[in-house]
Amino acid sequence: MKVTVDTERCIGSGMCVYSSEEVFDQDDDGTSIVLRPEPPAELWDAVRRAVDRCPASAIKATP
Amino acid sequence: MSESVHTLAAMPTERRPGCPFDPPKELIEAREQSPLSRFTFADGHQGWVITGFDLIRQVMADPRFSSRKEFMSHHPTIDYSGYEVPPAPPGEFLLMDDPQHSRYRKPLVGKFTVRRMRLLTERIEQVTAEHLDAMEKAGPSTDLVTAFAKPIPAIVICELLGVPYEDRGRFQENIDKFLGGETSDEELIAAYTATQEYLAELVAAKRASPTDDVLSDLTDSDLTDEELRGMALILLAAGFDTTANMIGLGTFALLQNPEQLAALRSEPELADRAIEELLRYLSVAKTFMRSALEDVEVGGQTIKAGTMVILSMNTANRDPERFPNPHVLDLDRQDGGHLAFGHGIHQCLGQQLARVELRVALPALFRRFPTLRLAVPAEEVAVRPEMADIYGVKSLPVTWDA
Ligand code: HEM
Ligand code: SF4
């Protein structure tokens, strides 16, 4: 799985960090940062949750 | 296309007796019929009510639906004919669209990140413990709203913004009036003016001698005093009332669901999921509105430019297509997601703060008072009217074995 965030769309809600702190973090401006662009399989559920919850549809996870 | 569209005849004004946590039955029935219903506003405007989870997410994520205050020119129950709704004052970004909205939201998001809010945990624990100590010292029984639910979030948001807590007497009551749904127009205007005066002094003080807080940080930018006042007002109002109602109503809901409360007590690791479920189940921020800027297809219907839609968030958070057994409080519910903090560009800025506050306050309350119970029959607990923007209990008389 490959994870990317469109930082232009991101509104800094923190939902992705809340879903998985292993995969996401926020910078000083609150914008999402992908810590693990190719997360291991055990984190895929959490990533899918982040994709579903992101209020700005800013996260993409491609298989 | 529109032959068989469901119509909601009127916005319900009451919940069913004995069901203070459930949306009014008219709205639940509307959702059973259709995720969107036609609805005629008080002035005759032909608009819509959305009760479906997916459709509300779609509308909140779509920039063709505006939050601008001046477009909210129809009201579900008050006839606004002949009255022009003014645009939101500078800084009150909840009722603006981008790019204006992001001018104000952007400088704030970095101050409300998951990480920063978690750093407040210890301080929130301390404030919570102080209030529990005071309750214990005073002995049973008490009104949980004044003794616990209100002061904790109020102290936290004041400290974060840099508002002296001693000053709260000058604006807390006024803010309650904006949101409680039981205030006359004259009172509202007086409350708004008094709050503006207070905030003007506060902003001036922060400019003159900045301290280590969000408001002072914001003075180091191109934001004007008027804009800072508007931003401070939104933050205070949102920070005061919402979490407080979640604590008050959440306590009531847990006391009414003793087996769920017992599960929370015996499995503290349930707490994070339990808070999400309480947010879903109670949806205290229950109704929002949007106005279509152009014709938009939603759920097979065309919502015409200039038409208003009412988003019934609490009904959508009970959507059976999204949540199995939606009307059951199930603290162990997995992966539901919810709309309690909204969706799209306005999604709650303070949500990570609210999560930490709830996560600390509710379990601590039940740990300290294992025998906590209502001091009056449940039917006698006074709840806010359906008109209120934010739902909750007005007071919650509780007692315990000392
Ligand atoms: C459990 C408590 C809370 C709930 C249920 C809640 C709910 C919401 C909802 C549903 C919205 C979206 C409004 C819309 O789309 O029109 C919102 C926006 C907002 N909330 Fe909260 N909120 C809570 C706590 C807080 C706290 C503690 C703060 C304090 C900082 C806060 C600050 C805001 C702000 C500033 C906005 C406007 C964001 C924007 O327009 O971009 N909220 N809240
Ligand atoms: S959930 Fe979406 S909007 Fe929120 S911080 Fe993450 S990427 Fe940004």
Side-chain angles (χ1 to χ4, degrees):
Chain A
M1 179 186 265
K2 275 204 165 59
V3 184
T4 55
V5 166
D6 179 344
T7 51
E8 286 298 305
R9 295 186 70 102
C10 171
I11 58 145
S13 69
M15 273 317 294
C16 51
V17 185
Y18 190 74
S19 301
S20 174
E21 287 173 69
E22 278 112 326
V23 182
F24 302 97
D25 199 355
Q26 285 166 284
D27 68 14
D28 286 347
D29 296 329
T31 305
S32 174
I33 310 170
V34 183
L35 298 175
R36 301 182 76 171
E38 296 186 30
E42 68 267 21
L43 296 175
W44 290 0
D45 271 353
V47 171
R48 287 189 196 106
R49 214 154 45 229
V51 171
D52 174 64
R53 310 282 162 82
C54 173
S57 308
I59 309 171
K60 277 218 163 53
T62 45
Chain B
M1 178 170 179
S2 53
E3 332 61 82
S4 62
V5 187
H6 176 257
T7 299
L8 181 72
M11 274 314 256
T13 53
E14 272 175 14
R15 301 190 174 205
R16 268 174 305 178
C19 303
F21 311 119
D22 296 343
K25 78 171 188 318
E26 293 85 347
L27 287 169
I28 293 175
E29 283 165 10
R31 172 62 195 96
E32 280 163 11
Q33 298 289 322
S34 167
L36 89 165
S37 310
R38 285 191 188 281
F39 172 74
T40 305
F41 285 66
D43 58 3
H45 175 74
Q46 299 289 312
W48 300 86
V49 173
I50 307 191
T51 51
F53 188 94
D54 290 341
L55 292 192
I56 288 194
R57 284 223 302 197
Q58 181 191 328
V59 166
M60 291 188 115
D62 189 334
R64 294 173 297 175
F65 283 100
S66 174
S67 285
R68 284 167 64 174
K69 187 173 179 188
E70 65 269 37
F71 294 151
M72 305 302 149
S73 49
H74 312 282
H75 191 277
T77 54
I78 304 166
D79 188 347
Y80 278 178
S81 313
Y83 171 72
E84 202 169 317
V85 180
E92 294 187 22
F93 57 103
L94 176 69
L95 300 175
M96 295 180 186
D97 294 344
D98 278 345
Q100 292 86 351
H101 160 265
S102 71
R103 167 173 168 80
Y104 305 113
R105 178 163 174 133
K106 269 237 163 79
L108 286 170
V109 277
K111 318 237 174 259
F112 287 89
T113 59
V114 174
R115 217 181 255 279
R116 282 209 175 202
M117 294 304 106
R118 288 201 182 141
L119 290 176
L120 297 176
T121 305
E122 229 171 275
R123 175 66 188 136
I124 297 172
E125 282 168 353
Q126 203 180 3
V127 173
T128 302
E130 283 163 17
H131 285 80
L132 292 171
D133 290 347
M135 277 171 68
E136 200 170 340
K137 200 160 161 232
S141 41
T142 192
D143 168 23
L144 193 85
V145 173
T146 38
F148 190 74
K150 263 187 166 181
I152 296 170
I155 291 172
V156 173
I157 192 70
C158 281
E159 290 185 355
L160 199 63
L161 285 181
V163 176
Y165 189 59
E166 311 79 71
D167 287 1
R168 73 192 178 284
R170 293 190 53 196
F171 57 86
Q172 181 156 23
E173 252 176 60
N174 289 326
I175 287 178
D176 286 351
K177 285 184 190 160
F178 303 153
L179 301 160
E182 288 181 306
T183 312
S184 70
D185 285 356
E186 298 86 73
E187 274 184 296
L188 272 181
I189 293 165
Y192 190 79
T193 314
T195 310
Q196 287 299 340
E197 278 166 17
Y198 173 73
L199 292 174
E201 282 173 38
L202 181 70
V203 169
K206 295 291 166 190
R207 268 215 204 280
S209 44
T211 32
D212 181 18
D213 50 61
V214 169
L215 210 51
S216 297
D217 288 356
L218 290 173
T219 59
D220 186 19
S221 69
D222 66 344
L223 294 158
T224 66
D225 283 5
E226 197 184 13
E227 290 177 313
L228 289 174
R229 234 155 53 208
M231 292 166 78
L233 177 64
I234 292 277
L235 290 167
L236 281 175
F240 262 52
D241 203 53
T242 47
T243 317
N245 279 297
M246 270 303 300
I247 296 173
L249 196 64
T251 302
F252 185 21
L254 288 168
L255 291 174
Q256 292 301 95
N257 287 271
E259 64 305 327
Q260 293 292 311
L261 176 56
L264 180 60
R265 278 212 177 98
S266 59
E267 301 166 60
E269 62 285 1
L270 200 64
D272 283 325
R273 237 173 299 149
I275 297 305
E276 295 306 304
E277 172 66 350
L278 284 167
L279 285 162
R280 177 196 77 86
Y281 182 73
L282 301 171
S283 296
V284 296
K286 65 189 174 53
T287 318
F288 289 96
M289 296 200 276
R290 296 289 190 267
S291 180
L293 296 173
E294 25 181 300
D295 291 5
V296 188
E297 288 284 309
V298 174
Q301 301 295 327
T302 304
I303 298 191
K304 289 247 161 52
T307 303
M308 280 186 61
V309 291
I310 298 172
L311 309 174
S312 180
M313 318 284 282
N314 57 336
T315 314
N317 268 338
R318 301 289 187 93
D319 188 334
E321 276 180 33
R322 174 85 186 192
F323 307 101
N325 299 319
H327 305 301
V328 173
L329 176 71
D330 173 8
L331 299 184
D332 200 18
R333 198 179 279 276
Q334 310 283 333
D335 282 0
H338 57 69
L339 281 168
F341 292 121
H343 193 69
I345 62 165
H346 292 280
Q347 196 190 47
C348 184
L349 177 75
Q351 59 180 294
Q352 308 303 346
L353 173 59
R355 286 190 167 100
V356 177
E357 290 174 333
L358 293 169
R359 177 75 179 72
V360 169
L362 282 172
L365 172 68
F366 290 105
R367 259 196 320 273
R368 180 73 70 98
F369 300 109
T371 59
L372 194 78
R373 58 187 178 272
L374 292 180
V376 296
E379 314 77 68
E380 286 174 24
V381 172
V383 293
R384 284 191 177 177
E386 278 303 293
M387 276 284 288
D389 290 331
I390 309 288
Y391 184 68
V393 288
K394 291 192 207 169
S395 62
L396 190 70
V398 292
T399 189
W400 59 90
D401 298 339

